[in-house]
Amino acid sequence: MNLTLLHDLAFDIGIVIAVTVGWLIFVNGVLLNALYSLQLVLAWRALRRRRAARTPLSAWWRFSEQTVPISLLAPAYNEEATIVDSVRSMLALNYPFFEVVVINDGSRDGTLAALIEGFGLAPVKRAFQEHLAHKPIIATYGSARFPRLIVIDKPNGGKADALNAGIDVAGSPLVCAMDADSLLESDSLPRAVQPFIEDFDNVVACGGSIRVVNGSDVRHGRVTRIGMPHDLLSLFQIVEYLRAFLIGRLAWSEMGAMMLISGAFGIFKRQVMLEVGGYTLNTVGEDMEIIVKIHRHLAETGRHGEMRFVPEPVCWTEAPRTLKGLAGQRRRWQRGSLETFFRHRAIMGRGEYGLPGTVGYIHVLITDVIGPPLEALGYIFMPLLYVVGILNLDFFMAYLALTFVFGVGISVGSLALEEIEMRRYPKPSYLLVLMLAAILENFGYRQLNTLWRIQGWWQYVRGHTDWATAARVGFGTKPKRP
Amino acid sequence: MEGAALFRFILQASVALALAAIASLLLLFVRRLVIMRIDRANAERRRELEEMVYGALEDPAALTSGRLGARDQRLLLAVVSEMLRGVDGEMRDQLKAILALHIDLDRLMGDLRNAIPADRAKIAFRLFWSDSPAVHDALRAALDDSEPEVVLAAANALLATGQSISLLALVPKLESRSMLGNRAVRDLFRRLAPDNASALFTFLDDPNPAVVVLAIDALARAPSSPALRRLRAAAQTHLAVDVRAAAIRSLGLAQDQQAAGVITAALSDPAWEVRAQAAIAAGRIGDAGALSQLKKRVGDANWWVRLRAAQALAKLGAEGIAALEALAGDEQLNQLVDFVLSERGA
């Protein structure tokens, strides 16, 4: 008698738990898709309202008189083969005043020697104060032929460490954090500083678009022909980057709650970087961490500061072409997001930190913290609940629509925005190829991503020890977070 | 029951969104194909028309009469108007004869009123060669166009035809279309300045600072004693920061030695924009009397003022350089001073 009762009770509790979890997964899906829809609308509005220069020449004509000096910071680790071409392309950027600060982060190959030979470098003295924490600078090199170039040599310490050294040495009020293998388009800088020109007192940082270079032709550090890759993995990533930048980043910029500026191309006020103590060392997600740190600092010192995203300036980057490389990247990004989220969790939901503390942080919670486990759980749990009859067909179909169909609309919508407003892909057939990729990515690729993010979660929980190792992998092969 | 309706709504909304997005992209794909096809056909036809024009220039007897179709007329206008910008004399007359033979000006003037804005601007921009009073009237009418681009193109075309434009009449039109911040308007003011000197003086008293700034900029291109006197007064007393900054900038550009005292005083202006312009102007006129004020401004609270003051010192000769080198010992300023000195060296 008692056993039957217990059995019934356990069964009922099991049903209640199953239904609760099912609803939790469902509500999370609804919230995520509602957020994406909101982002799509905000991005569209922002694109319609922007006052971008139409051509590189008009950008130069409009902004060149008012530009603010910039120091480009390019950390380099083991990039002997490409560093000279990369730096040459940086030196050829269209901008009235800028300097290129290459930080040789203890490369084990001939990176420094290639730079010395390629640019006729010689040791020079450079007056600077050590405001930030980083490994000691061993030597500074300059060139009479290339007065805009300065090369710092220091022991290996990771990207954050190298950038801190670069910020210390930089001589301009703006610093542009990038990777040594970032391919900036020649008019990227005048376009990217537009927010600073319009409102120098209030803007503290701004980011530009990152696009996947796979399939395009690159010559001497310049993208000479925009093309399409032949592998699905690269195509999926092109769609992802378009969605992340043209919709996600633009929408958050529009709302005033930017939580990330890509480490491959972000411009910051140097003074603000000094105030927050620069990049946090031994971190995987230094690009996200610095943004949250700046938001926090501004709120705690009672100051107003804005972070903006400008879609026109483009930095091209090579995306991983193998599943193994991509998996490592996504696990690292997930660890970086979690690390930042928990490090600064004190600001979550607190009104005094403004939109970044409320809307922005809750977005990170939904998409990066609870999102992956709930999504993974959904893939296993929801079909099971439907098969055993706990969920009805309507509920299950709605879940499937949220999981597989809604995303198609958002991804294809981002491609439509790209075509209406940016039109960077020269051939119409590329639209169809990307549309196909945007549909296909929902069936397999997205689930793989969830799996990698769960693995990233697990690595974070286990206190994975390759924080520093990951930072030392080398910037030349480390893809950028969209 | 309500739950079932909600689930069905979510399902339908998801499918509708996905289908709508796909349909939009397919339409955009078709649009792109059509645009590319039209562009290609236009480029080909343009080449043919270029051949025809070159043939007619080499052998005027080969010029045949006959109106072209609407698209060809616009293409021919584009081809010939580009050529007209670089030639004069007999060849100019020949090109105008070709246009007169093939182009229906009445139709173009109609297009100038009714085409889409981008086309209206192009047509206005390309009518600069016409001696026809009717065309001039049409261009004057285009000054009232709702599109800023068309207004600018019409104004520039009228100027190129040698027609006068009253700035007093034009400025309210530009103002109502929020065009005063456009750099092309600044260029237009400069071009109109010689015929509109009295209007520019009138604009110095305009309540809109943007108009005053444009007038100051235009006056500084052909500085006269009365103009410089007014600029000095504006630099000292005008309430708008932009106007004071523009006046100081113009005095520096005009190398007005009599303004040295005004510029030095402006180095202490409460607005950093004015202080920065004053530092630049002091460097431009090489005013050694501003040395001590410039040294103070190297420690200004605003970065731009610090930079401009240091650059101005570097232009004041040995005394300025010595002052800069003395400041290099200051750990707050050494980066800035190093930069300015190295920039000077470069």
Side-chain angles (χ1 to χ4, degrees), chain B residues 176-190:
Chain B
S176 65
R177 290 162 183 77
S178 306
M179 290 169 66
L180 295 178
N182 192 314
R183 202 164 143 174
V185 172
R186 190 197 65 186
D187 292 344
L188 190 66
F189 258 71
R190 290 178 182 179

Side-chain angles (χ1 to χ4, degrees), chain B residues 10-271:
Chain B
I10 288 173
L11 174 65
Q12 287 162 359
S14 302
V15 173
L17 176 74
L19 289 178
I22 290 171
S24 309
L25 199 64
L26 288 174
L27 280 177
L28 289 168
F29 166 74
V30 173
R31 186 186 79 152
R32 178 83 91 91
L33 281 182
V34 171
I35 290 172
M36 282 180 75
R37 182 159 289 191
I38 291 172
D39 286 349
R40 208 173 298 141
N42 281 347
E44 203 165 302
R45 183 63 184 143
R46 197 184 150 118
R47 271 194 297 276
E48 288 169 13
L49 289 169
E50 275 173 355
E51 289 296 318
M52 184 193 89
V53 173
Y54 283 125
L57 287 174
E58 282 174 16
D59 179 12
L63 191 60
T64 53
S65 62
R67 290 271 185 258
L68 298 169
R71 181 192 68 153
D72 284 357
Q73 285 193 34
R74 285 199 195 175
L75 289 173
L76 185 68
L77 181 67
V79 168
V80 178
S81 63
E82 270 174 34
M83 292 178 176
L84 274 167
R85 289 188 188 278
V87 298
D88 51 17
E90 192 187 343
M91 188 177 276
R92 188 177 176 88
D93 292 339
Q94 278 179 288
L95 289 170
K96 283 165 76 171
I98 292 170
L99 285 175
L101 200 59
H102 289 290
I103 287 192
D104 181 354
L105 277 177
D106 289 336
R107 178 198 281 266
L108 268 185
M109 286 187 283
D111 288 348
L112 185 56
R113 284 191 302 272
N114 304 321
I116 60 168
D119 285 349
R120 294 207 300 276
K122 277 182 195 163
I123 293 167
F125 181 70
R126 289 168 181 162
L127 280 173
F128 65 92
W129 50 272
S130 177
D131 305 322
S132 158
V135 169
H136 298 164
D137 288 344
L139 287 171
R140 279 192 194 286
L143 292 177
D144 289 320
D145 197 286
S146 57
E147 286 297 319
E149 301 283 328
V150 181
V151 177
L152 276 175
N156 280 308
L158 276 171
L159 271 178
T161 59
Q163 300 293 302
S164 63
I165 300 177
S166 161
L167 258 181
L168 282 172
L170 185 63
V171 164
K173 294 172 188 172
L174 300 173
E175 209 169 1
S176 65
R177 290 162 183 77
S178 306
M179 290 169 66
L180 295 178
N182 192 314
R183 202 164 143 174
V185 172
R186 190 197 65 186
D187 292 344
L188 190 66
F189 258 71
R190 290 178 182 179
R191 294 179 66 193
L192 289 168
D195 294 334
N196 286 271
S198 63
L200 292 175
F201 278 103
T202 309
F203 288 139
L204 288 178
D205 297 321
D206 197 280
N208 184 346
V211 175
V212 187
V213 168
L214 286 166
I216 287 173
D217 179 80
L219 279 171
R221 301 291 129 181
S224 62
S225 293
L228 290 173
R229 213 168 28 248
R230 292 292 302 272
L231 295 190
R232 279 179 234 134
Q236 288 172 297
T237 58
H238 206 285
L239 292 177
V241 170
D242 287 351
V243 172
R244 295 204 302 277
I248 291 289
R249 179 171 183 267
S250 297
L251 289 169
L253 283 171
Q255 308 261 320
D256 180 18
Q257 296 296 332
Q258 288 185 50
V262 175
I263 291 169
T264 307
L267 283 166
S268 306
D269 194 284

Side-chain angles (χ1 to χ4, degrees), chain A residues 95-352:
Chain A
Y95 201 74
F97 175 72
F98 69 96
E99 62 174 359
V100 177
V101 181
V102 180
I103 307 110
N104 178 42
D105 192 37
S107 298
R108 294 177 186 177
D109 65 356
T111 300
L112 183 62
L115 283 165
I116 289 173
E117 193 189 328
F119 297 98
L121 299 177
V124 291
K125 283 187 178 171
R126 170 99 170 189
F128 68 91
Q129 286 174 274
E130 285 206 8
H131 295 282
L132 304 176
H134 55 78
K135 294 272 169 69
I137 292 172
I138 301 165
T140 313
Y141 297 87
S143 164
R145 279 192 294 143
F146 301 93
R148 289 173 188 262
L149 175 64
I150 185 149
V151 175
I152 299 168
D153 187 29
K154 62 178 273 296
N156 181 265
K159 185 176 178 184
D161 190 278
L163 284 170
N164 280 352
I167 294 167
D168 264 349
V169 170
S172 309
L174 296 181
V175 291
C176 176
M178 52 193 295
D179 290 340
D181 61 341
S182 292
L183 304 176
L184 284 185
E185 289 192 342
S186 59
D187 64 331
S188 289
L189 290 180
R191 286 181 186 276
V193 296
Q194 189 179 344
F196 289 101
I197 289 170
E198 290 171 350
D199 192 2
F200 190 80
D201 289 337
N202 286 318
V203 176
V204 295
C206 110
S209 295
I210 311 291
R211 286 180 182 246
V212 174
V213 78
N214 302 25
S216 301
D217 292 345
V218 178
R219 189 170 292 179
H220 304 304
R222 285 262 185 271
V223 176
T224 53
R225 184 193 62 86
I226 297 173
M228 276 291 120
H230 296 295
D231 60 304
L232 264 180
L233 211 53
S234 299
L235 282 172
F236 290 152
Q237 290 177 85
I238 290 178
V239 175
E240 269 187 313
Y241 276 65
L242 279 177
R243 194 175 51 220
F245 283 92
L246 215 50
I247 291 189
R249 219 56 64 79
L250 197 55
W252 291 114
S253 166
E254 182 77 353
M255 282 182 67
M258 284 269 282
M259 299 300 281
L260 173 63
I261 288 178
S262 173
F265 184 29
I267 300 179
F268 299 84
K269 267 189 185 157
R270 179 173 176 269
Q271 184 56 36
V272 173
M273 296 296 262
L274 295 180
E275 285 171 22
V276 299
Y279 288 91
T280 304
L281 302 182
N282 300 319
T283 171
V284 185
E286 78 286 331
D287 47 2
M288 184 177 179
E289 207 274 338
I290 189 76
I291 300 300
V292 178
K293 195 153 83 166
I294 291 174
H295 279 310
R296 198 172 174 173
H297 169 74
L298 291 172
E300 286 169 359
T301 51
R303 284 159 52 195
H304 176 69
E306 292 174 18
M307 302 202 193
R308 304 257 184 91
F309 170 75
V310 194
E312 281 80 15
V314 169
C315 172
W316 294 90
T317 187
E318 188 165 5
R321 293 168 197 267
T322 62
L323 279 175
K324 190 182 170 191
L326 188 61
Q329 177 198 62
R330 298 306 157 97
R331 289 185 203 116
R332 194 169 54 243
W333 285 356
Q334 181 63 30
R335 294 207 310 271
S337 294
L338 294 174
E339 182 193 47
T340 303
F341 179 84
F342 288 111
R343 188 189 294 261
H344 296 282
R345 63 187 178 280
I347 76 169
M348 185 169 66
R350 288 175 59 184
E352 60 264 42

Side-chain angles (χ1 to χ4, degrees), chain A residues 26 61 67 97 127 129 168 170 173 270 394-395 398 401-402 405-406 409 412 416 419 423 425-426 428 432 435, chain B residues 4 7-8 10-11 14-15 17-18 21-22 25-26 28-29 31-33 36 183-184 187 303-304 331 335 338-339:
Chain A
F26 188 79
W61 191 72
T67 48
F97 175 72
Q129 286 174 274
D168 264 349
R270 179 173 176 269
D394 286 335
F395 190 109
L402 283 174
V405 184
F406 207 95
V412 178
E419 173 62 13
R423 214 179 289 171
Y425 290 101
L432 295 185
M435 185 176 81
Chain B
F7 297 143
R8 274 198 293 278
I10 288 173
L11 174 65
S14 302
V15 173
L17 176 74
I22 290 171
L25 199 64
L26 288 174
L28 289 168
F29 166 74
R31 186 186 79 152
R32 178 83 91 91
L33 281 182
M36 282 180 75
R183 202 164 143 174
D187 292 344
W303 186 88
W304 280 108
E331 63 174 26
Q335 279 188 22
D338 272 0
F339 161 60

Side-chain angles (χ1 to χ4, degrees), chain A residues 368-400:
Chain A
D368 290 343
V369 182
I370 60 170
L374 282 180
E375 194 173 332
L377 206 60
Y379 291 135
I380 305 162
F381 211 59
M382 298 297 252
L384 209 64
L385 291 184
Y386 173 64
V387 168
V388 298
I390 294 175
L391 294 184
N392 63 33
L393 183 65
D394 286 335
F395 190 109
F396 187 59
M397 290 301 284
Y399 163 75
L400 289 179

